[in-house]
Amino acid sequence: MARIDTNIAHAAYLLRSGELVAIPTETVYGLAANALNETAVSKIFAVKNRPSFNPLIVHCQSIEQASQYAHLTDHRIFELAAEFWPGPLTLLVKRKESIPDIVTAGQPFVGIRIPNHPLTLDLLSAIDFPLAAPSANPFGYISPTTPEHVLEQLGDKIPYILNGGWCEVGVESSILSFAHDTPTIVRFGGVPVEDIERIIGKIERISHHTSITPLSPGQLASHYAPQKKLILGDIDKLRKLYKNENYTLITFSKKYLDIPPQKMFVLSEKGDLHEAAHNIFKVLREADKTDSTLILAEPVPDEGLGNAINDRLKRASA
Ligand code: TXA
Ligand code: MG
């Protein structure tokens, strides 16, 4: 069973030895391996049950380190890095040959970010290689935002979970692709699109997560999904429609007092999108554990971090 602790030297030792370590980031917990060690990286795919054509984000400690693995030529990359790194923004940029094919799934681009968590930044300084890390959940399930979430699902498959507490941001990084002249947001995440555009001007948006090469549309649509059926819509209408069902509610800010408290989840009573993002994956997991058969949820305001929250809710309902 994995140990949950804060020993950076031990985590560094395991990673150097080609083992996997779950690491805290400001977004979600990652399942990390030495990005330069193909055997170690292949363990990530096995443990997560993740298709091998799905590339991994490379976590670096500095732009200098990132430039060893990617061609950082576009000035906009530096402008974004200066503003948002360390932080929840992943840039898809032209790779160098120094990064193994298994990490990028053979693609010409590599996803790079500097995560903003003190323990993981210390860990990255203690090792001389970058870390390949997807979210530390079984493929398709809800991303983990506490060490206990990781333990529950992957605890018997990995040796160590570095304990960084409950992830501050709570949704994964925004992913911005530099594959075309106009950068394209391929996943809404912890840095709102509006904030990116404030720095580099208009970018393209795609609502579907098409950053994975040929996948069936169904697989793309359903992700971050609880086991229970989740239906997204206007709560009052849904409650009428499903009045005979045993359901759990997830709302943005409103509490329904006639619902038993263990089946009533409010993302942010004060209507704050940061708080809602911080809570969303924990709430989805807890809603998945009640004795109800159905989860009814409503979208949050579609602005700022709301784009990322609504994207996760949509895919949880697909
Ligand atoms: O916040 C995050 O980004 C977290 C933490 C651990 O850093 N990581 C994360 O990784 O969410 P993952 O693997 O669960 O999601 C990353 C997404 C995947 O859908 C993958 O297909 C896409 O990014 N991606 C990664 N590298 C890519 C590449 N080279 N080209 C296209 N898509 C890529
Ligand atoms: Mg993931």
Side-chain angles (χ1 to χ4, degrees):
M1 210 55 178
R3 206 144 60 77
I4 301 183
D5 211 340
T6 56
N7 189 333
I8 288 169
H10 187 61
Y13 160 77
L14 289 169
L15 290 164
R16 267 184 226 113
S17 316
E19 298 293 335
L20 304 186
V21 173
I23 55 165
T25 81
E26 77 283 29
T27 59
V28 302
Y29 275 75
L31 182 61
N34 176 351
L36 307 180
N37 177 335
E38 291 184 46
T39 315
V41 173
S42 71
K43 291 181 186 170
I44 294 177
F45 290 92
V47 163
K48 272 193 65 120
N49 202 7
R50 176 176 173 117
S52 62
F53 51 76
N54 195 348
L56 304 174
I57 294 173
V58 174
H59 298 71
C60 294
Q61 54 150 325
S62 64
I63 302 192
E64 292 67 41
Q65 187 182 33
S67 68
Q68 294 174 41
Y69 308 105
H71 293 279
L72 306 182
T73 43
D74 194 310
H75 66 95
R76 292 171 295 187
I77 293 170
F78 293 94
E79 288 161 20
L80 291 169
E83 186 72 20
F84 300 116
W85 280 357
L89 178 66
T90 294
L91 302 178
L92 294 183
V93 286
K94 267 244 166 64
R95 67 182 276 203
K96 290 188 174 169
E97 288 306 310
S98 49
I99 203 79
D101 273 344
I102 186 173
V103 173
T104 64
Q107 300 206 42
F109 290 84
V110 59
I112 300 232
R113 83 178 187 102
I114 304 179
N116 191 16
H117 192 290
L119 282 185
T120 292
L121 286 170
D122 282 353
L123 175 64
L124 284 166
S125 324
I127 52 183
D128 57 3
F129 47 83
L131 293 174
S135 51
N137 51 283
F139 183 68
Y141 195 65
I142 303 161
S143 296
T145 48
T146 69
E148 292 74 25
H149 292 164
V150 182
L151 189 73
E152 252 174 47
Q153 291 189 302
L154 302 181
D156 55 347
K157 299 193 173 103
I158 58 174
Y160 201 71
I161 301 169
L162 192 58
N163 186 356
W166 183 358
C167 301
E168 191 60 42
V169 175
V171 290
E172 298 87 346
S173 58
S174 301
I175 303 183
L176 186 68
S177 165
F178 278 86
H180 306 286
D181 282 346
T182 308
T184 306
I185 193 93
V186 296
R187 178 174 73 184
F188 291 114
V191 175
V193 168
E194 298 92 319
D195 293 1
I196 296 173
E197 291 188 325
R198 213 168 289 136
I199 307 296
I200 59 166
K202 201 86 192 131
I203 59 176
E204 301 274 345
R205 294 144 213 247
I206 46 168
S207 50
H208 276 294
H209 190 24
T210 55
S211 66
I212 311 168
T213 18
L215 255 189
S216 73
Q219 263 179 301
L220 274 175
S222 171
H223 217 82
Y224 314 100
Q227 252 124 37
K228 291 197 170 101
K229 192 175 169 60
L230 184 148
I231 299 173
L232 191 60
D234 179 87
I235 289 286
D236 294 315
K237 283 190 194 143
L238 291 177
R239 289 194 63 187
K240 280 193 198 113
L241 208 56
Y242 295 100
K243 62 176 187 294
N244 296 324
E245 306 267 344
N246 175 357
Y247 58 74
T248 291
L249 283 189
I250 301 178
T251 68
F252 176 42
S253 58
K254 188 171 162 192
K255 196 180 217 155
Y256 289 80
L257 294 170
D258 59 317
I259 303 288
Q262 69 275 14
K263 293 185 188 178
M264 178 69 244
F265 295 95
V266 180
L267 292 175
S268 169
E269 283 191 34
K270 55 178 194 275
D272 177 70
L273 287 168
H274 284 93
E275 186 178 31
H278 178 62
N279 285 330
I280 181 72
F281 285 142
K282 194 159 184 266
V283 161
L284 280 173
R285 277 176 188 257
E286 282 168 19
D288 211 14
K289 282 186 181 155
T290 66
D291 67 8
S292 54
T293 45
L294 198 61
I295 303 169
L296 305 181
E298 66 180 353
V300 303
D302 218 14
E303 61 193 25
L305 287 178
N307 290 144
I309 300 168
N310 287 335
D311 169 80
R312 304 308 184 268
L313 283 170
K314 265 181 224 152
R315 274 184 285 135
S317 74

